[in-house]
Amino acid sequence: MSSVTKLVSKVLILDNAVECIGPLKDFCDQNGLIGLSSHSNNILELLSSYVDLGGILIAEDYTESLQETAKLAYQIRSSRPELPIILRRVSNAGAEELPANIAQHFCATYTIEDLSPLHKFIDDYIFSLVYPNALIRGISEITLQSLASQFKQHTVTVNAPYVVRDRIIFGEVFSLIPLESNWCRGYMMLQTEESVLDVFIAGNDHDELQHIQTPFRVLNNLIGEVTNLIWGAFKNRYINEEINHSQHSTIQVPLVINHQHKYISFGTENPQLCFKYNLFDDKTGLYSSIYQWFIFNLYWSPEDFQEIQTSVDELIDSGELELF
Amino acid sequence: MAKILIVDDSSTVREQVGEFLKENGLDFITAIDGKDGLTKLQGDSSIKLILSDVNMPNMDGLTMVEKIRNDLGNTSVNIIMLTTESNPSMKERGKAAGVKGWIVKPFKGESVLATLKKLAE
């Protein structure tokens, strides 16, 4: 098995204590967390701006009382139950000293003097799955190639990969395709906004698309084709033909999608591997992005992961014709 | 004039490949899956080359090829698979069914234009 890549994850920090900012920032830097702070008065509204969080760190004195903070945590959990919330106590009190009706809203507690519970928190809730380095590198490569084949005149870049626990769908369009092998079973999901079509049209000089009556269908087809290209390349690179039809290959769970709340559940609490790709049309300055999630909700066995070795003789570049 | 039949469930691919063929003076028609491909082939004797995807709903590309060769008894039309698939057993199945060549997507027309023109004659 190859080595593992150190992933990052975004956490929202709801903490007004100035003296805690330094230690929390250091902890985030050292542990692959990107701490996002906010002074918004409306946290629930603020949360709607973040659809790719790994968790929330909140201080018990973030509001005027512990009860109010617990109430806020309850509201957050009601709207985003997938996001684990950890409470910073102002004293050295443990979770057992919290009344049960308050403790139930938090997955753990810590104090600024003892950050060790935070280590357990990120191990248990955020970085609980290991992703092989070759897989992460390969996904970026094949997705960039697939996007470049469709967005030919554009600049396509990818951000550092990260993990999310969020279940909120980004944008207006998404595609899903199953991934099945001896070492994984789950889905790849691409999510984007309709504005990506403007970027596509601007860069490809598709004048005829400017006047099309149903541009969303063009976008659907475009996202479908990109998904297909990535899926094919993923399969060719990582999935052996002989899928082992053991017990894990027959399990299915329902996917639940709530359109109103743009929420999707894959029936698992597992964090998801996420990549964000940026598409620029240099001529017009138009920009859009595509989020790619990998949700191995049905089976995940990274120790069995392997890249398919292809001999040089068999290697045919994509787009080349191999005559028989 | 000889025609090329593009068989792909993705309208994006049909448009991209069709646009490329048109720009290079090649005539073409399209089909949305293997079943549609069979129908189009039977209805147009000027089709000399088929460019077909493998993974499609209703009827996949390799099943369509097998039906063209075995059920229709058409051994003259040239067939090239244009697909994301590159695994050897799939290619072997295509070869055995009478596929002439294999292109792994994405389609880069310039590099295969000369061969396409020759096969479409």
Side-chain angles (χ1 to χ4, degrees):
Chain A
M1 187 187 143
S2 60
S3 59
V4 294
T5 293
K6 187 65 183 168
L7 293 164
V8 297
S9 186
K10 296 176 191 170
V11 291
L12 183 62
I13 300 174
L14 303 175
D15 202 318
N16 297 321
V18 179
E19 68 276 14
C20 295
I21 292 173
L24 283 176
K25 185 178 181 308
D26 289 344
F27 180 87
C28 288
D29 290 345
Q30 290 159 15
N31 293 281
L33 297 178
I34 299 170
L36 308 166
S37 61
S38 171
H39 300 291
S40 169
N41 291 325
N42 191 338
I43 294 304
L44 296 178
E45 190 179 296
L46 171 79
L47 273 174
S48 64
S49 309
Y50 296 114
V51 295
D52 53 1
L53 291 173
I56 295 174
L57 311 184
I58 191 170
E60 72 171 83
D61 57 355
Y62 181 70
T63 64
E64 58 196 30
S65 69
L66 177 59
Q67 284 69 26
E68 284 299 309
T69 299
K71 189 176 163 190
L72 176 60
Y74 168 75
Q75 290 171 331
I76 293 171
R77 285 191 63 204
S78 299
S79 65
R80 305 283 277 275
E82 66 277 9
L83 292 179
I85 306 172
I86 186 165
L87 180 74
R88 181 177 68 74
R89 304 298 313 271
V90 292
S91 65
N92 281 330
E96 64 281 3
E97 293 180 30
L98 288 171
N101 64 327
I102 288 181
Q104 66 178 333
H105 301 307
F106 306 99
C107 62
T109 65
Y110 73 103
T111 64
I112 206 66
E113 294 81 19
D114 179 14
L115 297 175
S116 55
L118 273 182
H119 284 286
K120 191 168 182 334
F121 164 76
I122 62 172
D123 287 346
D124 289 351
Y125 289 94
I126 299 179
F127 300 125
S128 55
L129 296 187
V130 170
Y131 297 100
N133 209 8
L135 174 67
I136 291 175
R137 190 184 61 249
I139 286 170
S140 293
E141 285 173 8
I142 61 182
T143 307
L144 285 171
Q145 284 166 11
S146 300
L147 286 168
S149 75
Q150 302 301 308
F151 292 83
K152 291 177 181 155
Q153 309 301 323
H154 303 77
T155 301
V156 186
T157 64
V158 59
N159 294 1
Y162 55 107
V163 292
V164 297
R165 286 186 61 93
D166 248 316
R167 301 292 182 265
I168 304 297
I169 300 163
F170 169 78
E172 294 105 18
V173 188
F174 72 85
S175 68
L176 273 174
I177 195 160
L179 300 172
E180 305 210 332
S181 77
N182 284 337
W183 56 270
C184 76
R185 286 190 70 232
Y187 295 87
M188 181 186 78
M189 183 178 186
L190 294 186
Q191 308 167 70
T192 190
E193 294 171 301
E194 292 210 321
S195 63
V196 78
L197 187 61
D198 298 329
V199 179
F200 176 71
I201 292 171
N204 284 354
D205 295 326
H206 284 292
D207 293 339
E208 74 280 7
L209 294 178
Q210 304 279 4
H211 309 292
I212 201 158
Q213 294 297 312
T214 54
F216 79 93
R217 292 190 194 282
V218 177
L219 177 57
N220 291 354
N221 292 329
L222 178 65
I223 294 303
E225 183 54 21
V226 170
T227 305
N228 185 43
L229 288 170
I230 300 168
W231 172 76
F234 186 95
K235 213 154 68 91
N236 295 334
R237 191 156 172 169
Y238 299 122
I239 297 181
N240 261 318
E241 308 155 35
E242 299 86 17
I243 291 178
N244 179 12
H245 290 284
S246 57
Q247 193 183 0
H248 67 253
S249 67
T250 58
I251 294 166
Q252 289 293 348
V253 298
L255 308 184
V256 179
I257 297 168
N258 184 313
H259 296 284
Q260 185 175 351
H261 296 283
K262 302 184 81 168
Y263 175 92
I264 184 163
S265 166
F266 292 88
T268 173
E269 292 296 312
N270 287 347
Q272 298 158 1
L273 178 61
C274 182
F275 298 78
K276 183 186 178 191
Y277 300 88
N278 310 294
L279 305 163
F280 301 93
D281 176 50
D282 298 328
K283 280 187 293 181
T284 60
L286 287 174
Y287 159 82
S288 194
S289 52
I290 294 180
Y291 286 83
Q292 180 187 43
W293 285 6
F294 287 87
I295 310 102
F296 298 114
N297 58 331
L298 300 171
Y299 184 68
W300 179 241
S301 179
E303 57 274 16
D304 297 322
F305 166 83
Q306 57 180 358
E307 207 163 348
I308 295 172
Q309 301 298 319
T310 309
S311 75
V312 177
D313 292 341
E314 292 173 0
L315 205 62
I316 301 292
D317 284 341
S318 64
E320 298 292 327
L321 173 63
E322 181 184 4
L323 280 172
F324 297 145
Chain B
M1 187 182 179
K3 276 189 199 141
I4 296 175
L5 172 61
I6 304 166
V7 188
D8 202 307
D9 57 320
S10 162
S11 66
T12 303
V13 172
R14 293 196 303 270
E15 282 162 20
Q16 284 175 350
V17 177
E19 188 66 24
F20 173 79
L21 297 178
K22 195 172 143 192
E23 282 169 6
N24 288 283
L26 294 164
D27 197 8
F28 70 94
I29 58 170
T30 62
I32 59 170
D33 56 34
K35 208 171 166 185
D36 190 29
L38 274 183
T39 308
K40 297 274 169 64
L41 178 65
Q42 286 176 284
D44 193 335
S45 58
S46 65
I47 294 170
K48 301 296 178 201
L49 171 64
I50 298 175
L51 275 175
S52 177
D53 191 10
V54 170
N55 295 302
M56 293 181 287
N58 298 319
M59 185 188 291
D60 68 83
L62 290 180
T63 302
M64 179 192 75
V65 175
E66 287 160 355
K67 285 186 178 294
I68 290 170
R69 300 301 191 213
N70 302 330
D71 297 358
L72 303 184
N74 184 337
T75 53
S76 62
V77 67
N78 289 310
I79 305 174
I80 289 176
M81 306 312 288
L82 173 60
T83 173
T84 58
E85 294 283 356
S86 74
N87 79 61
S89 70
M90 199 77 89
K91 286 185 190 173
E92 277 307 312
R93 189 182 152 202
K95 202 172 169 181
V99 165
K100 191 90 178 175
W102 199 277
I103 302 174
V104 177
K105 286 181 184 175
F107 180 68
K108 296 170 189 163
E110 292 77 9
S111 61
V112 295
L113 179 61
T115 313
L116 294 186
K117 279 186 169 172
K118 198 175 169 192
L119 292 175
E121 281 173 358

